[in-house]
């Protein structure tokens, strides 16, 4: 019998007491192990929630401020804010491995964009520090936004993204000095202040993961002033109002009989994000009531599925608070000026609500169906490039639509919007449509003598989207629709207008440092990883900087159809907040402001999506 066998026999001859003692010892050991596992689970759970509180931007302050003024029309039952997120398809392409040469080119481009930003930023610091806008030619400043340091606040997240951390913290010192509540007879532009100031501070808060409390403190301070715009009999906001901290009778808060559609429908992303961060549902309630009215009206407009560019929002005790101020008359439907960001915010708000609100997807799908049928068209061009443009239609209720085949720079965001919606709603064909729309704006840039597209111009729409060969006679006839015009006269028209083949007329030749075209180029690059978009963007950047650079910063120009356009003494804050940011992101790694983590508002401010 071996050693193990002896041990086995000795175990069986132990006394009952010994056996009971061992059983109790085993039970105690098991209980200690169970308690240890439970304590470990509790500790991990505590650390998980502590991590959320310390390192995540979605901090719930449950901050319910005392209203600046007692509301005249308070809400009794706020609309609840959806929580969490559903699984949403990816937007961005998987990262592509770069060669050393490709990485070097990309990083040199990114540095050149950053240098351009610093040139403009330093000019702003020198001549207009903490003011709204720099005058980039003569120096000095403008104050179109109550003197609330618009350029500084608008550029906060750009500073952080470009890793200009010292400049960022210097800007925060000035932000602390801005008192959004104390103004005397200041006219507030609700839309512009929301997208520039509120959006800018919230984005900086999200990007810095809540490191700087001043950002959310100032966001709430401003939001309380903006929230008063919704204190109307039907809760539809007033678009412009006089704010006075010294005169409590200066309310001026009434719904408008003629409000721009983009103003009415482009407040949702910012107020929703503020509600998510603070836990104060009233901000979401304010904008959701507006969007509910737009949804109720969408199928009943003069062009069902879309809304007219101008809206009467004064309906009180009506089934629908909204109507057309020009009912029965000629109405305009467009994705350009007056309407643009209302449509842009439909898929973006769906993302901001984590896919938990089906109404935003439904509204988008109704509108895009109409846009594809009525607004999107292929323009005739010499190379027969397969591109699309989003035009403008007019309609009298009950009659056919009439297309104006124009391209507005403001409408160049459309390609990016359609492509993102195609990804998140799993519609590959719409991603391709978005690409063609973005390429239509690239075509407009590369077709002019300056390499910059004009603010607005018209073209010839193709009768066949599949094939559209160049027709010289059709182009000349469109330039001079007068049947009696002879060829020399037409040629003179083309020469005087500096028209390139395909362009019929230049309604507005200016370039105002706008970002919409590079926005769509950036989005298409993130979606496809196709180097075509990075190269197209670089051509755009070089042309823009070459024609707009001044000793102080960069300026608007008067006519992109001139070889040497005149500079205009204007530099809106979106040059720092949007245009240069999109150029910089185009040449950054794809994880820098990932479209799968952030929603960029219409002023290019990245707001973190719910998880």
């Amino acid at each position: 019998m071996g050693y193990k066998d002896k041990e086995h026999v000795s175990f069986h001859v132990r006394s009952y007491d010994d056996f009971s003692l061992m059983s109790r010892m085993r039970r105690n050991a098991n209980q200690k192990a169970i308690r240890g596992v439970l304590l470990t689970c509790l500790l991990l759970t505590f650390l998980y929630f502590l991590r959320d509180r310390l390192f995540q931007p979605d901090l719930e302050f449950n901050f319910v401020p005392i209203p600046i003024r007692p509301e005249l029309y308070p809400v009794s039952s706020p609309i609840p804010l959806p929580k969490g997120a559903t699984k949403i398809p990816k937007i961005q392409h998987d990262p592509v491995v770069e060669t050393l040469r490709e990485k070097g080119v990309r990083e040199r481009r990114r540095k050149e964009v950053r240098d351009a930003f610093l040139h403009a930023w330093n000019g702003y610091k020198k001549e207009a520090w903490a003011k709204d806008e720099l005058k980039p030619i003569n120096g000095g400043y403008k104050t179109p936004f109550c003197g609330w340091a618009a350029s500084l606040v608008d550029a906060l997240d750009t500073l952080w993204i470009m890793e200009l951390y010292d400049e960022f913290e210097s800007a925060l010192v000035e932000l602390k000095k801005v008192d959004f509540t104390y103004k005397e007879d200041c006219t507030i532009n609700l839309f512009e202040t929301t997208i520039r100031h509120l959006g800018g501070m919230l984005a900086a808060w999200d990007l810095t993961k809540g490191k700087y409390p001043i950002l959310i403190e100032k966001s709430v301070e401003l939001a309380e002033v903006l929230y008063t715009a919704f204190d109307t009999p039907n809760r539809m906001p007033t678009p412009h109002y006089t704010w006075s901290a010294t005169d409590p009778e200066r309310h001026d808060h009434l719904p408008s009989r003629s409000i721009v559609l983009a103003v009415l429908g482009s407040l949702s992303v910012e107020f929703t994000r503020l509600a998510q961060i603070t836990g104060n549902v009233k901000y979401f309630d304010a904008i959701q009531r507006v969007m509910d009215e737009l949804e109720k009206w969408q199928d009943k407009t003069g062009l069902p599925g879309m809304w007219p560019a101008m809206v009467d929002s004064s309906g009180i005790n009506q089934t629908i608070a909204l109507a057309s101020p020009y009912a029965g008359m000629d109405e305009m439907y467009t994705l350009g000026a007056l309407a643009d960001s209302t449509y842009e915010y439909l898929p973006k708000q769906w993302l901001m609500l984590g896919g938990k609100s089906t109404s935003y997807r439904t509204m988008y799908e109704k509108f895009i169906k109409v846009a594809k049928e009525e607004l999107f068209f292929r323009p005739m061009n010499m190379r027969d490039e397969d591109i699309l443009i989003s035009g403008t239609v007019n309609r009298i209720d009950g009659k056919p639509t009439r297309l104006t085949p124009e391209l507005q720079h403001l409408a160049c965001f459309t390609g990016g919007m359609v492509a993102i919606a195609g990804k998140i709603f799993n519609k590959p064909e719409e991603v391709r449509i978005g690409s063609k729309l973005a390429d239509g704006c690239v075509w407009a840039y590369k077709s002019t003598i300056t390499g910059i597209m004009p603010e607005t111009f018209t073209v010839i729409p193709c009768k066949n989207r599949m094939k559209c060969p160049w027709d010289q006679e059709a182009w000349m006839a469109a330039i001079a629709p007068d049947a009696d015009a002879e060829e020399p006269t037409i040629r003179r028209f083309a020469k005087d207008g500096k028209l390139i083949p395909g362009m019929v007329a230049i309604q507005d030749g200016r370039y105002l440092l706008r970002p919409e075209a590079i926005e769509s180029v950036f989005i298409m690059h993130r979606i496809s990883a196709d180097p075509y978009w990075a190269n197209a963007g670089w051509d755009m950047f070089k042309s823009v900087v070459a024609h707009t650079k001044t000793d102080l910063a960069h300026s608007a120009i008067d006519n992109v159809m001139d070889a040497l356009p005149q500079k205009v003494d204007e530099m809106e804050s979106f040059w720092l907040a949007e245009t240069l940011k999109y150029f910089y992101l185009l040449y950054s790694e794809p994880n820098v402001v990932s479209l799968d983590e952030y929603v960029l508002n219409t002023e290019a401010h990245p707001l973190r999506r719910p998880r």
Side-chain angles (χ1 to χ4, degrees):
M1 186 180 290
Y3 179 75
K4 289 182 179 179
D5 292 328
K6 290 179 181 178
E7 190 174 56
H8 179 72
V9 171
S10 66
F11 171 78
H12 281 286
V13 298
R14 284 172 181 161
S15 68
Y16 177 79
D17 288 336
D18 289 337
F19 185 82
S20 298
L21 177 63
M22 291 183 69
S23 296
R24 288 196 300 273
M25 290 174 66
R26 287 193 184 98
R27 284 198 300 271
N28 290 338
N30 288 339
Q31 289 171 353
K32 288 180 180 178
I34 291 170
R35 284 197 297 270
V37 170
L38 289 173
L39 286 171
T40 301
C41 290
L42 288 171
L43 179 61
L44 289 173
T45 302
F46 171 77
L47 290 174
Y48 176 82
F49 284 107
L50 182 63
R51 181 207 67 171
D52 275 357
R53 288 293 182 268
L54 292 178
F55 303 112
Q56 298 299 316
D58 299 329
L59 305 180
E60 292 189 4
F61 291 94
N62 292 318
F63 180 70
V64 183
I66 298 173
I68 290 178
R69 292 174 182 162
E71 287 192 82
L72 299 177
Y73 307 97
V75 172
S76 56
S77 299
I79 299 171
L81 174 67
K83 297 293 182 70
T86 60
K87 185 173 178 57
I88 296 173
K90 279 189 63 179
I91 296 172
Q92 294 201 163
H93 194 283
D94 291 333
V96 175
V97 178
E98 294 178 300
T99 65
L100 288 176
R101 179 183 176 280
E102 289 168 340
K103 182 178 180 181
V105 169
R106 178 179 60 76
E107 290 183 341
R108 283 194 297 274
R109 290 175 173 180
R110 184 179 61 185
K111 181 182 182 302
E112 195 166 331
V113 175
R114 188 175 185 263
D115 289 344
F117 175 88
L118 279 171
H119 174 66
W121 178 254
N122 288 331
Y124 171 72
K125 285 177 64 179
K126 178 182 177 183
E127 292 286 336
W129 185 237
K131 304 298 182 182
D132 286 343
E133 293 176 2
L134 167 69
K135 297 172 70 174
I137 298 174
N138 297 318
Y141 56 85
K142 298 178 181 179
T143 55
F145 302 111
C146 293
W148 285 336
S151 290
L152 182 150
V153 177
D154 220 0
L156 284 171
D157 54 348
T158 310
L159 291 167
W160 187 266
I161 290 166
M162 292 186 178
E163 300 180 345
L164 298 167
Y165 301 128
D166 290 342
E167 298 292 337
F168 177 84
E169 295 196 350
S170 294
L172 289 188
V173 171
E174 294 301 322
L175 176 62
K176 291 178 182 178
K177 301 175 185 177
V178 178
D179 187 347
F180 292 113
T181 63
Y182 188 83
K183 278 291 175 182
E184 191 165 350
D185 294 333
C186 164
T187 300
I188 294 178
N189 184 320
L190 176 63
F191 167 70
E192 296 289 357
T193 307
T194 297
I195 66 171
R196 299 187 196 216
H197 288 82
L198 184 59
M201 292 186 290
L202 292 175
W205 168 264
D206 275 345
L207 288 170
T208 59
K209 295 181 168 58
K211 181 180 178 181
Y212 300 93
I214 186 64
L215 289 165
I216 201 64
E217 291 169 10
K218 287 295 183 181
S219 293
V220 172
E221 181 182 297
L222 174 60
E224 286 300 300
V225 176
L226 299 178
Y227 183 77
T228 64
F230 297 88
D231 187 21
T232 66
N234 63 1
R235 302 300 298 184
M236 298 299 105
T238 185
H240 300 87
Y241 56 98
T242 302
W243 173 257
S244 174
T246 58
D247 184 356
E249 301 302 319
R250 292 295 293 271
H251 286 286
D252 294 332
H253 298 324
L254 291 171
S256 175
R257 294 186 178 277
S258 184
I259 185 172
V260 171
L261 175 64
V263 173
L264 192 65
S266 307
L267 309 169
S268 55
V269 168
E270 298 82 4
F271 276 88
T272 295
R273 185 65 190 127
L274 182 63
Q276 290 170 339
I277 294 171
T278 63
N280 193 338
V281 73
K282 78 174 189 179
Y283 302 122
F284 174 73
D285 173 88
I287 57 90
Q288 189 57 45
R289 291 176 185 275
V290 176
M291 299 311 296
D292 285 347
E293 294 301 319
L294 282 169
E295 184 177 19
K296 288 190 288 185
W297 188 36
Q298 187 174 15
D299 293 333
K300 299 176 176 64
T301 65
L303 183 61
M306 293 187 69
W307 300 280
M310 298 302 298
V311 179
D312 179 353
S313 64
S314 64
I316 299 173
N317 297 324
Q318 303 291 322
T319 304
I320 304 173
L322 308 178
S324 169
Y326 309 113
M329 301 169 64
D330 208 11
E331 294 181 309
M332 183 172 71
Y333 295 84
T334 180
L335 298 183
L338 308 180
D340 46 8
S341 46
T342 287
Y343 298 103
E344 174 190 354
Y345 272 22
L346 297 177
K348 289 185 174 182
Q349 179 70 348
W350 186 82
L351 285 170
M352 282 306 301
L353 295 176
K356 289 296 190 74
S357 175
T358 58
S359 65
Y360 286 94
R361 177 172 181 171
T362 300
M363 283 191 282
Y364 175 82
E365 291 177 340
K366 286 181 178 180
F367 125 71
I368 200 64
K369 180 177 185 295
V370 178
K372 288 189 292 186
E373 293 173 355
E374 301 284 356
L375 273 69
F376 299 168
F377 67 93
R378 180 173 177 169
M380 186 177 72
N381 58 86
M382 288 192 75
R383 295 183 180 180
D384 195 16
E385 295 182 57
D386 187 9
I387 57 179
L388 291 175
I389 281 175
S390 179
T392 297
V393 298
N394 284 73
R395 188 185 190 193
I396 297 175
D397 193 10
K399 295 184 178 181
T401 56
R402 304 184 316 281
L403 173 68
T404 299
E406 67 177 6
L407 176 56
Q408 298 180 32
H409 199 291
L410 278 168
C412 281
F413 81 93
T414 307
M417 173 193 68
V418 174
I420 284 178
K423 293 293 289 186
I424 61 177
F425 299 144
N426 197 25
K427 296 186 176 182
E429 176 57 27
E430 292 193 2
V431 178
R432 289 189 285 273
I433 291 173
S435 176
K436 292 181 181 182
L437 287 162
D439 212 13
C441 294
V442 171
W443 167 79
Y445 265 78
K446 67 186 181 183
S447 295
T448 69
I449 191 169
T450 57
I452 307 172
M453 76 171 286
E455 182 79 352
T456 309
F457 65 95
T458 52
V459 294
I460 302 172
C462 298
K463 295 180 181 179
N464 186 340
R465 279 196 188 182
M466 302 304 295
K467 187 177 181 181
C468 187
W470 175 251
D471 186 334
Q472 181 86 4
E473 292 183 359
W475 177 49
M476 294 178 69
I479 292 173
D482 185 350
D484 296 331
E486 297 180 354
E487 184 172 330
T489 301
I490 297 172
R491 290 186 180 278
R492 188 175 68 253
F493 285 167
K495 182 179 179 181
D496 291 346
K498 299 181 174 63
L499 302 177
I500 59 97
M503 291 187 180
V504 172
I506 311 298
Q507 281 73 31
D508 188 343
R510 296 175 300 163
Y511 174 63
L512 304 177
L513 303 175
R514 288 201 187 279
E516 291 79 15
I518 189 58
E519 173 184 354
S520 285
V521 168
F522 156 72
I523 290 170
M524 291 312 309
H525 186 257
R526 285 291 180 92
I527 286 176
S528 68
D530 187 338
Y532 168 80
W533 299 106
N535 293 329
W538 189 242
D539 290 340
M540 293 163 63
F541 174 77
K542 296 297 284 186
S543 296
V544 167
V545 170
H547 290 288
T548 65
K549 189 173 182 180
T550 71
D551 291 340
L552 282 173
H554 301 87
S555 73
I557 53 179
D558 71 339
N559 191 352
V560 301
M561 309 307 285
D562 287 338
L564 293 172
Q566 290 288 325
K567 292 180 172 64
V568 181
D569 204 8
E570 295 178 359
M571 187 184 83
E572 288 212 47
S573 66
F574 53 65
W575 172 246
L576 300 173
E578 295 188 75
T579 311
L580 290 174
K581 182 190 297 170
Y582 278 127
F583 277 120
Y584 185 84
L585 289 175
L586 180 60
Y587 304 111
S588 297
E589 292 82 357
N591 65 328
V592 179
V593 188
S594 168
L595 297 178
D596 292 309
E597 297 178 7
Y598 293 91
V599 170
L600 282 85
N601 84 335
T602 196
E603 192 76 5
H605 294 309
L607 305 175
R608 186 171 287 277
R609 287 165 46 174
R611 293 178 297 281

